[in-house]
Amino acid sequence: MNTIEMSIDQPVRSASMPVGKVVVGIAIMVALLGFPLIAPGYQTFQLTGVMTYAVAALGLNLITGYVGQVSLGHNAFFALGSYTAVLANLYLGTGSFISVMLAGFVTFVAGVLAGYPAKRLRGLYLALITLILAVSVVPMIKQFKAYTGGAAGLLVDKPMPPAWFTLGQDTWIYYIVLAFTIVAFWLIRNFVGGSVGRALAGVREGDLAASSMGVNVNNLKVIVFGIGSMLAGIGGALATFTIGFIGPDSFTMMLSIGFLAAIVVGGLGTIWGALVAGLFLQYVPSYASDLGQALAGAVYGGILIVCMFLMPKGIVGSLLQFAHHRREGKRTTAVGTGRAAR
């Protein structure tokens, strides 16, 4: 109770950033903008895939890492966003940008509708409800084969670059996905960085205690579930336009398990943990498949076990904890030195 009260009532920190962080941010931005100019085309394609997965993983991290709701249905919203964007582009003639935005809107509404019955559930009960979404998505796609292409899937027209852009189609798609990724991470960082973030921490620790602090727990859960689903839909739409193909086999239950494993490895409740999750989802399955399909699950499990033992807070969470302890150690040393000088 005291921990939650302190977490919710503490004042919002200043939005100003240290100069060092600004310099690092600028350096990362320059590196991302210049990456396609020096990297081979396939590596650009892979990094684009990392960002699409990172956007979707950011949504699941918001639901699971910040609120504490275990969702196994992320593949359903990833698929819904993908097919919404493709069908809007195919039948309505919308451009890629409008199609992605429409996918985000549809999956937000679907997430809110799914969040209403789930708002009073936690833990195993919520996992079982979302499991229904996870296992039903592939049969639903195959059922409406007149629109979805069924098991054969559909070829998707990739976004074409304008005439003035001479670096190629894959590079153009890379910059489109990069723009969506930057905006998504910036918006979610602001969303969880203030009073809403402290309210989310209170909900994660306990509904009753958060309610006693004036937090509307049920509404907050529904909104967060909608936003997390929206990010999954946007990530799915971007992934489909990146690959140029969509099929039901891309949205199996293993995708949801992969998302859940990836955010645990990256770090629950951390913004940058979603980026590590994107790297995990892009590269680990491909390397695991080289060992054989039967060993793919064992690779996931092995990485999770190692991470839980060595980095129980995930990669980003453990690094942040290490940096915090180091700062506290320096501060304690400085205070001790000052007292000794007196």
Side-chain angles (χ1 to χ4, degrees):
M1 176 73 75
N2 293 336
T3 303
I4 297 172
E5 184 175 355
M6 292 173 61
S7 174
I8 295 177
D9 290 340
Q10 65 182 1
V12 180
R13 293 181 180 180
S14 174
S16 60
M17 293 181 63
V19 176
K21 290 185 176 180
V22 174
V23 172
V24 171
I26 293 174
I28 293 174
M29 183 63 63
V30 171
L32 289 173
L33 290 174
F35 182 82
L37 305 179
I38 59 175
Y42 183 66
Q43 291 183 5
T44 300
F45 172 80
Q46 285 184 312
L47 187 55
T48 306
V50 169
M51 292 187 290
T52 62
Y53 282 131
V55 172
L58 183 63
L60 185 59
N61 209 351
L62 186 64
I63 296 170
T64 302
Y66 283 92
V67 181
Q69 294 180 297
V70 180
S71 173
L72 295 176
H74 217 56
N75 65 323
F77 298 106
F78 196 80
L80 179 60
S82 299
Y83 277 100
T84 298
V86 170
L87 295 178
N89 182 263
L90 185 62
Y91 291 105
L92 302 180
T94 58
S96 56
F97 176 80
I98 300 299
S99 298
V100 173
M101 297 303 293
L102 184 60
F105 173 76
V106 170
T107 48
F108 175 78
V109 173
V112 168
L113 294 176
Y116 266 103
K119 64 184 178 182
R120 298 184 182 276
L121 301 175
R122 289 182 69 94
L124 179 62
Y125 300 101
L126 178 61
L128 290 174
I129 293 296
T130 55
L131 181 63
I132 298 174
L133 294 174
V135 299
S136 63
V137 59
V138 172
M140 289 289 290
I141 293 172
K142 293 180 179 179
Q143 179 66 30
F144 296 97
K145 60 182 179 181
Y147 301 99
T148 63
L154 294 171
L155 291 175
V156 180
D157 292 331
K158 292 184 177 183
M160 293 299 296
W164 53 265
F165 191 87
T166 60
L167 298 178
Q169 188 180 36
D170 286 342
T171 305
W172 174 248
I173 296 173
Y174 170 89
Y175 285 125
I176 292 175
V177 174
L178 177 62
F180 272 100
T181 303
I182 291 172
V183 171
F185 272 74
W186 179 74
L187 290 175
I188 298 302
R189 180 182 179 276
N190 290 336
F191 180 71
V192 302
S195 58
V196 175
R198 293 192 293 274
L200 294 177
V203 173
R204 184 178 64 241
E205 296 299 326
D207 292 358
L208 184 60
S211 298
S212 67
M213 296 299 117
V215 177
N216 192 328
V217 174
N218 289 336
N219 286 350
L220 188 61
K221 283 184 177 181
V222 171
I223 292 172
V224 168
F225 206 91
I227 295 174
S229 303
M230 177 188 69
L231 291 171
I234 291 174
L238 293 172
T240 299
F241 282 126
T242 299
I243 297 170
F245 175 80
I246 187 171
D249 292 337
S250 302
F251 309 108
T252 62
M253 178 67 188
M254 281 301 299
L255 180 62
S256 275
I257 295 175
F259 272 121
L260 198 57
I263 63 170
V264 171
V265 171
L268 291 173
T270 62
I271 295 294
W272 300 113
L275 189 58
V276 175
L279 292 166
F280 180 93
L281 289 164
Q282 177 65 36
Y283 292 106
V284 170
S286 61
Y287 289 117
S289 62
D290 292 340
L291 302 176
Q293 291 295 331
L295 293 176
V299 172
Y300 274 98
I303 293 175
L304 275 175
I305 292 172
V306 171
C307 184
M308 288 297 95
F309 274 103
L310 300 180
M311 295 183 173
K313 293 184 178 294
I315 294 174
V316 174
S318 297
L319 290 176
L320 291 175
Q321 186 181 46
F322 173 76
H324 174 73
H325 288 332
R326 189 172 182 180
R327 285 195 302 269
E328 289 297 321
K330 289 183 178 180
R331 189 177 304 168
T332 303
T333 303
V335 171
T337 304
R339 289 177 178 174
R342 292 176 186 176

